[in-house]
């Protein structure tokens, strides 16, 4: 038995043990025991993924798991890479959940669903045929729906969120089923190897490609299929949001990679354009919505859409450049896609777990009611700050490495002899630059408003630091953000191996083969930056020592200070200029009500400000479609008017019709 | 039994089955309809008896007795009691389509029954095979009654005609079903009729009428 086989068996066995523990262990110990097993499921995913990545051998056939075909698991290096990332996220989130889960999230149902979710998610990238893939995919969807529903008793919006999620995830499943069916019919088998025999230039291949990419984009949360993300993430418990956002949506990206590079490689050039456009729109729209929202988890959900967009952008660029035989930048784009996937997994885990710790401590999700948490929750503060660093793609974080690689491939991918590609690359660079800038603003807002200044509500004022287990989980994720950012070489090597391209790592640095100047050594960058910054620091220190310490107070404060925390910037006011600049895209609905004193119209008693952000995609696309669906439904209800005779008549007419057809 | 007599008897009993079916659709008085149903039951029992005598099968004879008791005596009696409880001279007042149209529909359905059973007729040319369309026609008549009659008891009648049709086809094609199955089916029918009878009286006490059009509230 090879390591891969052993690892996959271990995952299934450990998941079964975790489920058994969740059912059997008394509530007092449930969190610890079930959580440990769930973390072990994740850890075994990491080991299996690493084994599949280093020596690709070993497969698992569970012939009794499904009638007729059985389940075939045979992870490729790419599958191993994704499994590794998903397993790591799962393990960290499970450790966090031990301290975090309380109330309904610590219930038996919830603890049963979590390991089932983790194991099915880790086995999705291991599937070797469409049937096994779809089985794992559906198990993953089912378990995650249960987890989203966790707090359905306490909060009304959870139910509607779960409904949206279930509907969208089924849309995704339906599209995938159709796409795989087309491929299976054309290729003569449900195995991925049989499907890859389909001619990518045929019409059927294009139909299957569009269906599959739409299905995977739905799961990944790309625009316009992203509507479930900002609903489901705030509704789910934070450790579940972390797994869903950092790992589950990546299965959509993995699926797109599977289609583009294993099932239907070398497709027509327009496929690449479609994927690039999908990615560019998602990235811009996602970060724009994230920058103006003030609900922390909603903000993180929109940021997920942005990052998924960047991944699709990288993937589409790789497809486009491959179809024009520009192989070095294409390889770099592919590696960038996997680096983005990993970096997003790392920083989004840190951010969602941090948001969970904040929610746990303050009971608040609204940034406008947080503040001053840095002093009250120092460890959470550090973890969140490092995660925000990664999300803003600033140097020293792994997010920077990933976006740098993407930009390298875009810049070196411009091909003057194909005008469309030559135009596409600069536009993509602009999109990446815009999203990077907006991401910086967004995460300065998320971090600054939540953790700095003074508390804006009593919940924030009374916040306590998270338990040691939760702190450890957050720190692990945060250290991954910085560690992988400082020493990205091994990660780039793994990504290169998963993508099947030449080694893009050299020692600690990233060195993109075939690209001039494509070397990034963050340690060297850090040292140089520190040397450059040293004079500034020295001068500042010297100046501070020479001048005596002074205390400046308000000139006309009458000895008082600015006491009210309401005088501070809020998330809404910080994002106001952005909302103004992108007025047409964001469409904020503002409501200012001024109440005057009855004695004088010149004195204001109260000013009320309300702002609502409606999503354009939702109001323009989903609501009309849903209304049309409602109308069709209402029309169909006329068939069923309650008259028994009509019902009997239907079956009678149906019978007679069948008989007439038979008789003719 | 001589094959000539056998053919005559099979023809006679199936003819009575078909005729009583047509008359059931034509008559609107519930009393007359129940009487016709009893006639149909007798005809079915005779058919089974003839088949049993022809094939000298003791089990079929027992089934014939069972059919006679159930379909010619017990079920009509239950229906008579129900109708009597509803009052004297109860009629199916306003069927969904009127009698003339129903009779035209009947002729079409009969034609359809003969059309669809053409493949069956090629199986053999004995008197039993040629009579199979009658059974199918009865099934269609029963469904027509169910779909077009408003009175609860008429519905019950339609259901029983349908059941008679199925039984006729079974006896003509397969020479009947095993006694155990026949017993089960008979008990089933009896149970359904008893339940529907109770339901009818409940509807009547609740609404004062036994018109199914009053029951259109139960939907989503």
């Amino acid at each position: 038995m090879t390591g891969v086989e052993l690892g996959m068996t271990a995952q299934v066995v450990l998941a079964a043990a975790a489920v058994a523990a969740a059912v059997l262990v008394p509530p007092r110990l449930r969190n610890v025991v079930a959580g440990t097993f769930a973390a072990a499921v994740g850890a075994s995913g990491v080991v299996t993924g690493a084994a599949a990545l280093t020596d690709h051998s070993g497969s698992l056939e569970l012939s009794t798991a499904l009638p007729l075909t059985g389940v075939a698991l045979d992870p490729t290096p790419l599958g191993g890479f994704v499994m590794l990332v998903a397993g790591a996220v799962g393990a960290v989130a499970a450790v966090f959940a031990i301290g975090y889960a309380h109330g309904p999230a610590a219930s038996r149902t919830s603890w049963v669903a979590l390991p089932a979710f983790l194991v099915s998610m880790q086995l999705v990238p291991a599937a070797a045929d469409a049937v096994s893939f779809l089985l794992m995919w559906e198990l993953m969807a089912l378990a995650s729906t249960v987890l989203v529903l966790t707090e359905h008793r306490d909060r009304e919006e959870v139910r509607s969120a779960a409904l949206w999620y279930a509907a969208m995830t089924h849309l995704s499943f339906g599209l995938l089923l159709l796409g795989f069916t087309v491929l299976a019919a054309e290729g003569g088998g449900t195995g991925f190897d049989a499907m890859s025999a389909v001619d990518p230039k045929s019409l059927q291949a294009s139909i299957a490609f569009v269906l599959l990419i739409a299905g995977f984009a739905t799961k990944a949360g790309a625009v316009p299929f992203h509507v479930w993300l900002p609903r489901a993430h705030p509704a789910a418990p934070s450790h579940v949001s972390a797994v869903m956002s950092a790992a589950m949506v990546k299965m959509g990206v993995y699926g797109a990679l599977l289609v583009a590079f294993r099932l239907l490689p070398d497709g027509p050039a327009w496929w690449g354009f479609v994927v690039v456009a999908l990615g560019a729109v998602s990235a811009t729209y996602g970060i724009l919505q994230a920058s103006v929202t003030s609900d922390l988890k909603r903000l993180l959900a929109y940021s997920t859409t942005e990052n998924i967009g960047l991944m699709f952008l990288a993937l589409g660029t790789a497809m486009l450049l491959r179809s024009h035989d520009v192989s070095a930048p294409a390889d770099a784009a592919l590696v960038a896609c996997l680096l983005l996937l990993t970096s997003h997994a790392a920083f989004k885990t840190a951010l969602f777990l941090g948001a969970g710790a904040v929610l746990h401590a303050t009971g608040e999700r609204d940034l406008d009611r947080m503040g001053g948490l840095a002093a009250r929750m120092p460890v959470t503060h550090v973890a969140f700050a490092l995660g925000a660093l990664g999300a803003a793609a600033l140097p020293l974080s792994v997010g920077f490495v990933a976006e740098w690689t993407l930009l390298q491939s875009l810049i070196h991918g411009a091909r003057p002899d194909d005008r469309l590609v030559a135009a596409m690359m600069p536009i993509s660079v602009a999109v990446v630059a815009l999203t990077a800038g907006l991401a910086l603003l967004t995460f300065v807002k998320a971090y600054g408003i939540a953790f700095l200044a003074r508390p804006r509500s009593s919940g924030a004022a009374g916040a306590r630091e998270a338990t040691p287990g939760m702190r450890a989980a957050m720190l692990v994720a945060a250290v991954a953000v910085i560690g992988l950012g400082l020493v990205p070489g091994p990660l780039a090597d793994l990504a290169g191996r998963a993508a099947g391209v030449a080694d893009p790592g050299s020692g600690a640095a990233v060195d993109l083969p075939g690209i001039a100047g494509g070397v990034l050594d963050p340690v060297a960058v850090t040292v140089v930056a520190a040397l450059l910054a040293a004079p500034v620091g020295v001068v500042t220190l010297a100046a501070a020592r020479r001048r005596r310490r002074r205390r400046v107070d308000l000139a006309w404060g009458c000895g008082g200070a600015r006491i009210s925390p309401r005088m501070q910037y809020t998330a809404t006011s910080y994002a106001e200029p952005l909302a103004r600049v992108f007025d047409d895209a964001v469409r904020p609905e503002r409501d200012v009500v001024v109440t005057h004193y009855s004695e004088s119209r010149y004195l204001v008693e109260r000013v009320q400000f309300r702002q609502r952000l409606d999503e354009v995609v939702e109001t323009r696309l989903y609501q009309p479609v849903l209304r049309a669906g409602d109308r069709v439904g209402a029309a169909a209800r006329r068939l069923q008017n309650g008259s028994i005779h009509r019902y009997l008549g239907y079956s009678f007419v149906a019978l007679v019709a069948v008989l007439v057809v038979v008789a003719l | 039994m001589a094959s000539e007599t056998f053919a005559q008897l099979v023809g006679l009993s199936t003819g009575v089955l078909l005729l009583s079916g047509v008359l059931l659709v034509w008559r609107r008085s519930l009393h007359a309809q129940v009487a016709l149903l009893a006639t149909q039951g007798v005809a079915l029992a005779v058919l089974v008896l003839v088949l049993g005598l022809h094939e000298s099968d003791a089990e079929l004879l027992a089934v014939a007795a069972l059919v006679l008791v159930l379909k010619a005596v017990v079920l009509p009696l239950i229906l008579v009691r129900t109708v009597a409880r509803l009052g004297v001279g109860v009629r199916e007042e306003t069927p969904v389509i009127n009698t003339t149209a129903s009779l035209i529909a009947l002729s079409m359905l009969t034609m359809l029954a003969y059309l669809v059973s053409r493949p069956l007729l090629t199986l053999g040319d004995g008197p039993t095979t040629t009579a199979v369309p009658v059974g199918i026609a009865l099934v269609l008549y029963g469904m027509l009654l169910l779909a077009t009659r408003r009175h609860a008891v008429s519905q019950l009648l339609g259901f029983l005609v349908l059941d008679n049709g199925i039984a006729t086809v079974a006896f003509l094609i397969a020479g009947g079903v095993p006694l155990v199955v026949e017993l089960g089916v008979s008990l089933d029918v009896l149970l359904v009729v008893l339940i529907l009878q109770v339901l009818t009286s409940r509807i009547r006490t609740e609404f004062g009428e036994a018109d199914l059009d009053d029951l259109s509230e139960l939907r989503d």
Side-chain angles (χ1 to χ4, degrees):
Chain A
M1 205 177 214
T2 66
V4 179
E5 287 164 9
L6 201 65
M8 285 192 294
T9 318
Q11 288 183 47
V12 175
V13 171
L14 281 171
V19 168
V23 174
L24 299 176
V25 172
R28 204 162 40 84
L29 293 173
R30 192 184 290 144
N31 272 13
V32 176
V33 179
T36 310
F37 274 112
V41 173
S44 63
V46 172
V47 175
T48 318
L53 199 50
T54 46
D55 82 292
H56 167 228
S57 66
S59 60
L60 199 62
E61 293 259 354
L62 307 171
S63 51
T64 48
L66 264 187
L68 299 179
T69 54
V71 169
L73 302 172
D74 181 10
T76 56
L78 177 63
F81 186 82
V82 178
M83 191 194 282
L84 195 159
V85 173
V89 172
V92 171
V95 169
F96 182 81
I98 295 175
Y100 175 77
H102 61 281
S107 68
R108 195 172 279 163
T109 320
S110 185
W111 274 117
V112 166
L114 185 66
F117 178 39
L118 293 183
V119 75
S120 52
M121 183 174 69
Q122 284 160 208
L123 291 182
V124 163
D129 63 27
V131 180
S132 317
F133 185 91
L134 289 173
L135 177 76
M136 291 305 163
W137 189 265
E138 264 312 83
L139 275 177
M140 176 175 87
L142 187 70
S144 54
T145 311
V146 171
L147 286 169
V148 170
L149 261 176
T150 303
E151 290 169 13
H152 71 98
R153 281 217 188 124
D154 309 330
R155 293 195 284 141
E156 180 75 40
E157 78 260 24
V158 168
R159 276 166 257 166
S160 119
L163 207 59
W164 271 92
Y165 175 55
M168 292 309 286
T169 195
H170 265 90
L171 175 69
S172 154
F173 179 73
L175 289 168
L176 294 186
L177 193 62
L178 285 175
F180 278 132
T181 309
V182 172
L183 275 188
E186 199 62 13
T190 55
F192 286 155
D193 292 333
M195 287 181 180
S196 60
V198 176
D199 174 24
K201 303 279 191 252
S202 63
L203 176 66
Q204 282 84 351
S206 287
I207 294 172
F209 177 81
V210 169
L211 286 169
L212 288 171
I213 288 293
F216 287 126
T218 310
K219 194 68 178 188
V223 175
F225 307 108
H226 66 287
V227 283
W228 62 270
L229 272 171
R231 289 189 166 80
H233 285 336
S238 294
H239 60 282
V240 177
S241 321
V243 181
M244 284 175 77
S245 170
M248 188 187 76
V249 296
K250 304 298 160 42
M251 295 304 150
V253 179
Y254 166 73
L257 283 164
L258 177 78
V259 173
F261 293 105
R262 183 168 171 199
L263 298 186
L264 298 169
D266 310 320
W270 66 266
W271 291 4
F273 281 112
V274 168
V275 177
V276 167
L278 188 71
V281 171
S282 302
T284 322
Y285 187 82
I287 196 60
L288 204 55
Q289 291 288 344
S291 66
V292 293
T293 187
S294 58
D295 180 322
L296 182 54
K297 287 179 93 176
R298 227 176 132 81
L299 181 150
L300 295 179
Y302 277 123
S303 147
T304 303
T305 297
E306 177 230 345
N307 283 283
I308 289 293
L310 290 178
M311 284 171 228
F312 271 92
L313 185 73
L315 168 66
T317 308
M319 291 168 71
L320 205 57
L321 295 178
R322 281 248 167 117
S323 69
H324 285 92
D325 293 324
V326 194
S327 62
D331 291 351
L334 202 51
V335 169
C337 181
L338 292 179
L339 287 179
L340 283 166
L341 192 152
T342 319
S343 73
H344 181 241
F347 68 70
K348 206 38 85 66
T349 309
L351 289 172
F352 260 117
L353 295 187
V358 168
L359 179 63
H360 189 67
T362 64
E364 294 289 350
R365 271 193 355 242
D366 191 351
L367 281 171
D368 287 347
R369 295 174 58 78
M370 292 177 192
L373 297 177
R376 291 168 180 79
M377 311 174 73
V379 178
T380 310
H381 158 238
V382 169
F384 194 93
L386 293 181
L389 204 63
L394 288 178
L396 302 192
S397 73
V398 64
F400 172 73
V401 177
E403 289 207 8
W404 176 84
T405 315
L406 176 59
L407 283 172
Q408 286 295 326
S409 76
L410 288 173
I411 291 167
H412 290 92
R415 286 248 307 174
D417 55 336
D418 189 300
R419 265 177 287 168
L420 211 48
V421 178
M424 201 83 173
M425 292 300 136
I427 295 175
S428 301
V429 171
V431 165
V432 175
L434 176 66
T435 54
L438 285 175
L440 184 61
L441 276 176
T442 306
F443 283 94
V444 164
K445 177 182 81 175
Y447 164 72
I449 301 288
F451 287 93
L452 304 181
R454 291 192 193 180
R456 294 175 182 78
S457 68
S458 56
R464 289 272 186 79
E465 181 57 289
T467 61
M470 287 159 76
R471 274 181 277 174
M474 284 186 283
L475 280 180
V476 166
V479 164
V481 174
I482 287 299
L484 293 176
L486 280 176
V487 190
L491 174 67
D493 265 346
L494 284 184
R497 192 174 292 165
V501 301
D503 261 4
S506 70
V510 180
D511 181 6
L512 300 170
I515 290 184
V519 186
L520 175 68
D521 190 347
V523 177
V525 171
T526 316
V527 170
V528 171
L531 286 178
L532 286 178
V536 181
V538 169
V539 169
T540 318
L541 276 178
R545 184 165 298 180
R546 200 178 310 157
R547 215 177 285 169
R548 268 186 36 240
R549 192 173 268 267
R550 269 190 301 180
R551 208 182 134 168
V552 181
D553 232 318
L554 271 186
W556 298 97
C558 304
R562 293 191 185 196
I563 339 178
S564 173
R566 296 189 55 183
M567 292 173 183
Q568 306 173 105
Y569 256 107
T570 62
T572 313
S573 57
Y574 187 83
E576 203 276 338
L578 267 181
R580 200 170 280 268
V581 172
F582 294 101
D583 193 47
D584 284 338
V586 182
R587 290 185 182 280
E589 210 170 275
R590 294 208 185 85
D591 220 4
V592 182
V593 182
V594 181
T595 318
H596 298 281
Y597 279 107
S598 53
E599 291 86 8
S600 166
R601 288 196 32 78
Y602 299 104
L603 291 176
V604 174
E605 184 189 8
R606 206 171 59 198
V607 181
Q608 214 174 28
F609 175 84
R610 224 181 277 128
Q611 175 171 295
R612 225 186 58 198
L613 295 163
D614 282 332
E615 258 219 55
V616 186
V617 174
E618 216 171 297
T619 49
R620 293 287 165 84
L621 179 66
Y622 279 83
Q623 283 175 8
V625 168
L626 289 179
R627 272 200 296 275
D630 263 355
R631 272 200 298 279
V632 172
R637 272 184 63 162
R638 266 184 239 147
L639 284 174
Q640 191 208 2
N641 69 343
S643 154
I644 295 165
H645 294 100
R646 195 180 277 208
Y647 300 158
L648 287 166
Y650 288 149
S651 48
F652 182 48
V653 168
L655 175 69
V656 169
V658 168
L659 288 180
V660 166
V661 169
V662 169
L664 289 179
Chain B
M1 196 190 295
S3 63
E4 185 69 16
T5 332
F6 173 63
Q8 292 278 349
L9 284 173
V10 168
L12 179 66
S13 51
T14 47
V16 171
L17 277 170
L18 190 66
L19 187 64
S20 57
V22 174
L23 290 176
L24 259 166
V25 176
W26 177 49
R27 294 300 301 265
R28 297 218 302 223
S29 151
L30 289 182
H31 276 290
Q33 283 186 325
V34 175
L36 282 165
L37 187 78
T39 318
Q40 206 170 48
V42 173
L44 187 60
V46 168
L47 178 65
V48 182
L49 180 71
V50 169
L51 286 172
L53 287 177
H54 181 66
E55 289 164 21
S56 330
D57 186 347
E59 200 170 286
L60 264 184
L61 294 181
V63 171
L66 181 70
V67 168
L68 188 70
V69 170
L70 183 74
K71 300 211 162 160
V73 181
V74 176
L75 293 180
L77 270 182
I78 294 173
L79 287 175
V80 162
R81 277 182 54 196
T82 317
V83 173
R85 211 175 291 165
L86 293 174
V88 189
V90 193
R91 293 164 60 82
E92 171 69 44
E93 289 296 346
T94 47
V96 179
I97 55 175
N98 65 33
T99 313
T100 322
S102 301
L103 287 174
I104 294 171
L106 275 194
S107 61
M108 311 288 270
L109 290 176
T110 318
M111 270 165 53
L112 184 65
Y114 272 89
L115 273 177
V116 294
S117 42
R118 267 183 314 181
L120 292 176
L121 297 183
T122 57
L123 291 176
D125 54 354
T128 50
T129 322
T130 42
V132 166
V134 172
I136 295 173
L138 276 184
V139 172
L140 294 175
Y141 291 0
M143 287 208 77
L144 182 73
L145 278 171
L146 275 172
T148 58
R149 295 300 160 93
R150 293 186 202 277
H151 202 280
V153 175
S154 304
Q155 295 272 323
L156 208 43
L157 283 161
F159 170 73
L160 289 171
V161 170
L162 194 141
D163 181 63
N164 281 347
I166 295 170
T168 310
V169 175
F171 285 124
L172 287 176
I173 287 185
V177 285
L179 188 60
V180 181
V181 178
E182 180 61 36
L183 262 177
V185 172
S186 303
L187 271 178
D188 235 19
V189 171
L190 183 62
L191 207 62
V192 167
V193 169
L194 283 175
I195 290 169
L196 287 180
Q197 187 221 355
V198 173
L199 194 64
T200 310
S201 7
R202 295 288 306 174
I203 293 171
R204 196 179 133 70
T205 34
E206 208 63 37
F207 299 103
E209 291 274 337
D211 192 334
L212 291 187
D213 275 357
D214 293 333
L215 303 181
S216 58
E217 288 299 314
L218 271 179
R219 62 188 172 114
D220 73 338

